[in-house]
């Protein structure tokens, strides 16, 4: 629609009608088959609001969305279509591994393709906007939502933010693309103690340098919406934080899209203790710049009074409405309010063979081989026992795949059956996933599990019987899918005791054990690492995850995933991340004796598995770093190159990683920071020169005067296969 026409509609809206555009409700108001993700409550929303509301979230399916849009428009004075938004996080019906696993692919181009497919499935189902990507930087594995992030590194998160947004949005083709909403602005990934919804407090320097860049990368990639976070930022809840939204997001970054609150976050300004009541919360939210109030009556019931009483200017409402109308127009909804929704296309597009093929490829690349003493890959003629509750599980897509159907998932046992003869395969559950499912609580349409009577001894007996008949035992363990995700914070992040007992009992049989982990966070594996022969970190790998794991088990795929979050040795080490600051008393180089250095007395500082780590079925050897010059200027570049050789017998992917350390700055600088990477395939015996170009821009940071710039001096440059195994060189910025 022409801007002028849109302007006419806008000018004809009453104040009330404008305000209702700023309200988002969930599906139960539309007698829909809704998904209740989040706390349920009576809202005090009138029928008038429902009839005029601007957007709805988490209702799915072309047939239903077409009906709702039709009924809504029949009653609507201006025929402004509803916007349908949804949590489509790691796939829609075809699911991919959880985002933390997607990060482990170190392959943003591949993930972009996955999100293109996701957008197409969602578009033909009638969705217009996804609440993704979540680009929150994460360093604390206790926090359940680490599974939704691509990890602990700013540079990598920026690369993935871009890939997600470009994948979803493309050129906003109604049949293929949807708009993207980056979240949670800002710094939601740093709650104190790793406890969900808890306070975030950090210096502006750390916020700007580590946490904000990934949101900015999404905004710079054209992301249409930004979602505010639940937490505080410097004492002010993000959803009422003027500085964050008006100064940083709008003024500094030039963001013109829509800002939406997270679920009830504006009303929660009251519980935070910065708003007196709903009216006060509405004032804070709109003044701070939140355009859409998700799932509360705060905007719908309070903004009119605030305008009429002269407390806030109507201009604030106008700006927000205009942005919403513009997005509706940009998505083509005025021309076709049903947009891509098409019941027959749903059948051909969703879960199509090409989509499943890509899902399998992505799952395979996300799997990280943590340990292997040679037991892997397993030869297909071996007798295998799969033991563990994840063996036959079809709930392999993590807690956010709320709209996927477990029946579409291939379990590990089913997938292995596709490769080896049935008589060579045995399965036993061995134990329950958790001791007590009742602590997990419900989540969306997820299967709410009852407490079932279990016969632990019988389960164990069957497992040992199966294992004793086998030549290799594959143990499918990890976390229940509700032990991570929103509201999934934990203080213990090891395998549950029943699982450890099971491993110990199987170990007594003397059979080789391959531990396959399905989980949503880095786990503490210190107590099991010596009891098994190999560990495959499969995460929650999605629809084709069972097949992907099976490909890795039997060597049909040579594992290539690399961790994007450190795995602690003990939970007491978290928050843990490779790019930490040096202290005045570093363990290795301090002048003081060891007691008085920065360390724990009961465990090493280092992680069990570092950032960037992952094994392969082949081996790569690194030469020395060669640099084209050891002097860099503002106008020149340096090329650093290194020879990488595949010295094993089979082809494989290596992710060559570049890190830089600023040796001396006006403020303390990290011990190293990822500045580039190259994922290359090398045939057996093949050698390649891998090159990285280094320029001054890569060396910038927030200096003591809070200017974002580089400082002259010496830098260390590291290249290698993970953040801990690196070759070293030095150069100087002059
Ligand atoms: C709350 C979550 O924090 C957010 O990520 C999600 O998009 C909304 N609920 C809507 O379900």
């Amino acid at each position: 629609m022409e801007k002028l026409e849109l302007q006419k509609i806008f000018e004809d809206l009453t104040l009330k009608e404008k305000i209702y555009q700023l309200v988002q409700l969930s599906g139960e108001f539309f007698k829909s088959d809704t998904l209740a993700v989040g706390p349920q409550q009576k809202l005090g929303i009138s029928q008038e609001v429902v009839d005029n509301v601007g957007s709805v979230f988490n209702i799915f399916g072309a047939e239903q969305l077409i009906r709702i849009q039709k009924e809504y428009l029949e009653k609507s004075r201006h025929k402004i279509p509803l916007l349908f938004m949804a949590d489509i996080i790691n796939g829609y019906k075809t699911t991919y591994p959880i985002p933390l696993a997607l990060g482990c692919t170190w392959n943003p181009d591949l993930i972009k393709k996955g999100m293109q497919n996701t957008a197409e499935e969602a578009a033909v189902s009638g969705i217009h906007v996804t609440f993704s990507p979540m680009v929150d930087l994460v360093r604390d594995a206790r926090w359940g939502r680490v599974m939704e992030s691509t990890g602990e590194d700013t540079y990598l998160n920026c690369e993935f933010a871009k890939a997600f947004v470009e994948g979803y949005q493309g050129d906003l083709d109604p049949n293929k693309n949807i708009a993207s909403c980056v979240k949670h602005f800002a710094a939601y990934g740093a709650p104190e103690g790793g406890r969900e919804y808890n306070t975030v407090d950090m210096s502006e320097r750390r916020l700007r340098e580590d946490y904000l860049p990934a949101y900015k990368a999404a905004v710079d990639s054209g992301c249409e919406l930004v979602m505010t976070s639940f937490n505080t930022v410097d004492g002010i809840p993000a959803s009422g934080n003027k500085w964050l939204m008006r100064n940083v997001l709008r003024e500094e970054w030039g963001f013109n899209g829509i800002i939406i609150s997270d679920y009830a976050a504006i009303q929660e300004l009251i519980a935070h203790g910065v708003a007196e009541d709903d009216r006060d919360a509405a004032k804070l939210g709109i003044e701070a710049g939140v355009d859409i109030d998700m799932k509360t009556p705060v905007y719908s019931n309070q903004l009119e009074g605030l305008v009429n009483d002269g407390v806030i200017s109507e201009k604030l409402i106008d700006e927000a409405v205009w942005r919403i109308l513009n997005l509706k127009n940009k998505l083509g909804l005025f021309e076709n309010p049903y947009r891509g929704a098409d019941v027959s296309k749903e059948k051909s597009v969703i879960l199509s063979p090409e989509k499943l093929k890509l899902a399998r490829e992505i799952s395979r690349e996300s799997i990280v081989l943590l340990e292997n003493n040679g037991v892997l890959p397993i030869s297909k003629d071996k007798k295998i026992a799969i033991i563990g509750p994840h063996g036959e599980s079809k709930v392999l897509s993590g807690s956010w795949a709320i709209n996927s159907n477990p029946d579409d998932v291939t379990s590990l046992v089913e997938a292995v059956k596709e490769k080896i003869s049935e008589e060579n395969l045995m399965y036993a559950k061995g134990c329950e996933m958790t001791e007590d499912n009742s602590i997990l609580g419900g989540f969306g349409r997820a299967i709410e599990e009852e407490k079932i009577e279990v016969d632990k001894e019988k389960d164990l007996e069957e497992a040992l019987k199966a294992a004793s008949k086998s030549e290799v035992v594959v143990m499918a363990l990890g976390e229940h899918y509700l032990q991570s995700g929103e509201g999934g914070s934990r203080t213990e992040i090891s395998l549950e005791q029943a699982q450890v007992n099971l491993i110990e009992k199987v170990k007594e049989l003397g059979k080789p054990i391959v531990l396959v982990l399905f989980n949503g966070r880095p786990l503490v594996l210190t107590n099991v690492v010596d009891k098994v022969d190999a560990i495959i970190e499969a995460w929650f790998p999605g629809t084709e995850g069972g097949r992907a794991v099976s490909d890795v088990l039997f060597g049909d795929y040579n594992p290539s995933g690399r961790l994007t979050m450190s795995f602690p040795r003990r939970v007491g080490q978290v928050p843990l991340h490779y790019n930490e600051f040096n202290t005045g008393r570093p363990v290795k180089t301090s002048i003081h004796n060891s007691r008085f250095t920065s360390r724990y007395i009961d465990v090493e500082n280092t992680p069990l598995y570092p950032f960037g780590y992952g094994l392969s079925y082949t081996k790569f050897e690194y030469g020395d770093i060669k640099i084209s010059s050891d002097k860099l200027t503002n106008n020149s570049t340096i090329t650093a190159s290194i020879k990488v050789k595949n010295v094993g017998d089979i082809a494989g992917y290596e992710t060559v990683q570049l890190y830089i350390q600023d040796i001396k700055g006006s403020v303390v600088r990290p011990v190293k920071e990822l500045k580039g990477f190259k994922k290359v395939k090398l045939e057996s015996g093949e050698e390649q020169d891998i090159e990285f170009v280094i320029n001054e821009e890569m060396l910038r940071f927030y200096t003591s005067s809070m200017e974002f710039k580089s400082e002259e001096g010496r830098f260390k440059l590291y290249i290698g296969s993970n953040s801990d195994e690196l070759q070293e060189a030095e150069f100087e910025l002059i």
Side-chain angles (χ1 to χ4, degrees):
M1 172 186 284
E2 292 294 327
K3 277 270 147 75
L4 262 179
E5 235 179 300
L6 194 65
Q7 181 77 27
K8 260 173 56 197
I9 296 180
F10 169 72
E11 280 164 9
D12 198 45
L13 294 174
T14 63
L15 176 59
K16 270 197 173 132
E17 284 168 334
K18 285 185 200 164
I19 290 168
Y20 299 154
Q21 285 295 317
L22 318 191
V23 180
Q24 176 160 111
L25 296 176
S26 52
E28 68 263 29
F29 294 93
F30 297 86
K31 296 188 197 68
S32 74
D33 172 15
T34 188
L35 278 174
V37 173
Q40 295 303 294
Q41 80 214 84
K42 290 235 171 326
L43 286 188
I45 293 269
S46 69
Q47 190 57 40
E48 185 182 323
V49 180
V50 179
D51 291 344
N52 290 279
V53 77
S55 56
V56 187
F57 75 107
N58 281 352
I59 31 182
F60 300 94
E63 194 180 333
Q64 179 165 243
L65 293 181
I66 290 170
R67 173 190 60 79
I68 292 171
Q69 188 75 284
K70 196 159 172 278
E71 288 172 6
Y72 173 88
L73 288 173
E74 273 161 14
K75 291 189 225 149
S76 156
R77 200 163 76 91
H78 294 93
K79 312 289 171 218
I80 303 173
L82 271 172
L83 257 183
F84 293 119
M85 309 199 187
D87 286 292
I88 296 169
I89 312 291
N90 49 307
Y92 178 62
K93 292 284 187 193
T94 305
T95 62
Y96 302 97
I98 53 171
L100 187 58
L102 295 179
C104 295
T105 63
W106 291 61
N107 193 344
D109 290 341
L110 182 67
I111 300 316
K112 182 172 164 183
K113 286 188 199 151
M115 296 313 123
Q116 276 163 351
N117 280 357
T118 296
E120 191 187 4
E121 287 194 345
V124 299
S125 303
I127 302 294
H128 307 141
V129 174
T130 175
F131 294 140
S132 171
M134 174 180 125
V135 301
D136 303 322
L137 188 81
V138 290
R139 292 171 168 175
D140 190 331
R142 290 171 300 181
W143 191 47
R145 299 195 84 168
V146 301
M147 59 84 85
E148 280 179 70
S149 162
T150 44
E152 72 186 37
D153 185 72
T154 306
Y155 174 84
L156 205 55
N157 284 3
C158 289
E159 296 291 303
F160 280 110
K162 189 168 175 272
F164 271 92
V165 173
E166 289 179 355
Y168 290 134
Q169 293 197 163
D171 51 10
L172 285 185
D173 179 328
N175 299 311
K176 292 209 165 94
N177 302 119
I178 55 177
S180 163
C181 174
V182 66
K183 64 193 188 186
H184 305 85
F185 191 69
Y188 182 42
E192 285 180 3
R195 198 184 77 210
E196 184 66 296
Y197 313 129
N198 202 9
T199 306
V200 169
D201 200 1
M202 66 176 73
S203 67
E204 186 180 337
R205 175 170 288 108
R206 173 162 282 190
L207 179 74
R208 284 190 178 274
E209 204 158 301
D210 299 348
Y211 286 82
L212 293 188
Y215 309 106
K216 180 158 189 302
V219 166
D220 290 345
S221 307
C223 191
E224 295 287 349
L225 299 94
V226 172
M227 186 188 290
T228 64
S229 55
F230 290 125
N231 54 279
T232 52
V233 172
D234 194 18
I236 300 173
S239 304
N241 196 316
K242 226 185 221 173
W243 175 77
L244 262 184
M245 286 177 273
R246 297 218 178 260
N247 297 27
V248 177
L249 188 53
R250 296 257 186 243
E251 272 169 42
E252 287 182 32
W253 300 358
F255 178 65
N256 290 320
I258 294 170
I259 303 180
I260 182 169
S261 79
D262 200 346
Y263 195 112
I266 296 182
Q267 196 168 47
E268 288 168 17
L269 296 174
I270 305 169
H272 270 293
V274 296
E276 191 75 39
D277 49 23
D278 278 8
R279 182 177 156 101
D280 205 14
K283 176 177 176 291
L284 284 180
I286 197 83
E287 281 182 346
V290 185
D291 301 317
I292 299 181
D293 174 12
M294 189 196 292
K295 190 70 193 199
T296 82
V298 165
Y299 272 13
S300 66
N301 299 357
Q302 303 299 332
L303 288 178
E304 192 189 10
L306 287 167
V307 173
N308 289 340
D309 296 346
V311 180
I312 60 164
S313 155
E314 190 169 346
K315 210 173 129 244
L316 291 179
I317 317 276
D318 287 350
E319 283 169 2
V321 180
W322 185 240
R323 282 193 274 266
I324 293 161
L325 293 184
N326 265 294
L327 180 63
K328 291 183 175 183
N329 195 27
K330 204 167 177 181
L331 290 168
L333 292 176
F334 288 99
E335 280 77 24
N336 177 7
Y338 310 108
R339 206 173 175 259
D342 185 326
V343 177
S344 67
K345 268 205 197 143
E346 272 183 323
K347 295 196 177 78
S348 58
V349 164
I350 287 175
L351 292 159
S352 66
E354 307 76 57
K355 293 204 168 52
L356 292 173
K357 186 166 172 268
L358 186 72
R360 183 165 179 171
E361 203 183 316
I362 292 178
S363 296
R364 300 203 295 198
E365 288 206 25
S366 74
I367 292 169
V368 186
L369 182 64
L370 296 176
E371 298 283 345
N372 183 19
N373 67 5
V375 64
L376 287 174
I378 306 169
S379 133
K380 285 180 188 151
D381 54 14
K382 285 247 155 75
K383 277 194 183 353
I384 291 164
I386 297 182
I387 308 283
H390 275 310
E392 279 194 326
S393 171
K394 284 174 168 279
V395 189
L396 294 183
S397 304
S399 62
W400 265 118
I402 48 177
N403 198 52
S404 67
N405 185 351
D407 293 341
D408 296 326
V409 173
T410 307
S411 73
L412 180 59
V413 168
E414 286 167 343
V416 170
K417 270 188 199 156
E418 293 172 356
K419 289 196 196 281
I420 69 170
S421 76
E422 282 212 28
E423 64 266 24
N424 275 352
L425 177 64
M426 287 146 285
Y427 170 71
K429 185 167 69 171
C431 68
E432 292 301 308
M433 204 62 245
T434 56
E435 277 292 297
D436 180 7
N437 281 348
S438 65
I439 61 165
L440 300 175
F443 198 90
R445 195 187 284 155
I447 316 132
E448 312 301 345
E449 296 183 33
E450 299 145 32
K451 251 195 132 176
I452 34 161
E453 281 305 306
V454 288
D455 186 340
K456 289 186 187 170
E457 271 171 32
K458 189 163 159 258
D459 284 347
L460 178 62
E461 209 177 288
E462 280 174 6
L464 295 179
K465 206 164 122 197
S468 59
K469 285 195 223 145
S470 73
E471 292 166 277
V472 181
V473 186
V474 174
M475 302 196 70
L477 303 172
E479 287 181 298
H480 188 287
Y481 77 104
L482 290 179
Q483 281 177 309
S484 62
E486 186 173 350
S489 294
R490 301 178 70 189
T491 58
E492 292 292 346
I493 54 171
S494 317
L495 291 180
E496 288 211 1
Q497 197 51 48
Q499 297 188 35
V500 178
N501 293 345
L502 185 63
I503 294 173
E504 283 168 353
K505 289 282 176 208
V506 172
K507 168 98 181 139
E508 284 169 17
L509 301 174
K511 310 274 175 175
I513 301 176
V514 177
L515 175 60
V516 182
L517 293 167
F518 296 86
N519 51 294
R521 56 158 57 77
L523 294 171
V524 169
L525 299 170
T526 313
N527 58 342
V528 292
V529 67
D530 294 337
K531 301 181 176 116
V532 298
D533 298 273
I535 305 180
I536 293 174
E537 177 52 84
W539 308 107
F540 286 112
T543 311
E544 287 290 283
R547 292 200 173 102
V549 172
S550 172
D551 288 339
V552 168
L553 282 173
F554 298 100
D556 293 332
Y557 181 76
N558 182 1
S560 65
R562 302 288 182 261
L563 297 178
T564 61
M565 238 190 127
S566 311
F567 272 47
R569 293 172 192 274
R570 300 245 181 109
V571 68
Q573 289 178 290
V574 300
L576 182 67
H577 53 107
Y578 82 93
N579 45 1
E580 61 181 6
F581 290 155
N582 236 335
T583 67
R585 295 184 172 192
V587 175
K588 281 195 190 146
T589 52
S590 175
I591 51 170
H592 303 296
N593 69 35
S594 120
R595 168 96 201 179
F596 297 101
T597 59
S598 176
R599 66 184 188 100
Y600 302 100
I601 53 176
D602 57 350
V603 72
E604 278 178 52
N605 287 358
T606 57
L608 186 62
Y609 302 115
F611 175 84
Y613 171 85
L615 300 173
S616 162
Y617 292 155
T618 186
K619 254 187 110 43
F620 300 99
E621 253 176 32
Y622 281 73
D624 294 329
I625 300 176
K626 289 206 181 94
I627 46 174
S628 57
S629 163
D630 62 358
K631 302 270 184 284
L632 178 68
T633 66
N634 287 353
N635 308 316
S636 67
T637 59
I638 289 180
T639 303
S641 68
I642 196 161
K643 277 200 190 321
V644 182
K645 186 170 183 186
N646 180 350
V647 293
D649 296 335
I650 57 167
Y653 283 96
E654 172 67 329
T655 300
V656 184
Q657 301 162 31
L658 167 77
Y659 298 85
I660 293 181
Q661 179 190 14
D662 190 343
I663 296 173
K664 196 214 89 172
S666 59
V667 295
V668 175
R669 307 291 302 128
V671 292
K672 57 180 87 95
E673 291 174 290
L674 184 75
K675 292 289 177 183
F677 63 90
K678 291 208 169 133
K679 186 168 180 173
V680 286
K681 187 175 186 191
L682 295 176
E683 299 299 327
S684 163
E686 190 184 342
E687 180 176 76
Q688 260 187 43
D689 278 321
I690 309 296
E691 287 188 354
F692 293 99
V693 176
I694 292 142
N695 60 34
E696 175 274 334
E697 227 178 281
M698 293 157 84
L699 311 178
R700 294 182 190 169
F701 63 99
Y702 287 90
T703 62
S704 53
S705 53
M706 280 305 274
E707 285 170 278
F708 189 66
K709 60 174 197 181
S710 59
E711 290 176 344
E712 289 176 1
R714 288 187 302 125
F715 291 81
K716 273 196 179 152
L717 182 150
Y718 303 93
I719 304 178
S721 62
N722 65 62
S723 62
D724 198 37
E725 285 176 71
L726 298 160
Q727 308 293 329
E728 211 180 298
E730 236 184 79
F731 68 91
E732 197 182 350
L733 177 67
I734 52 170

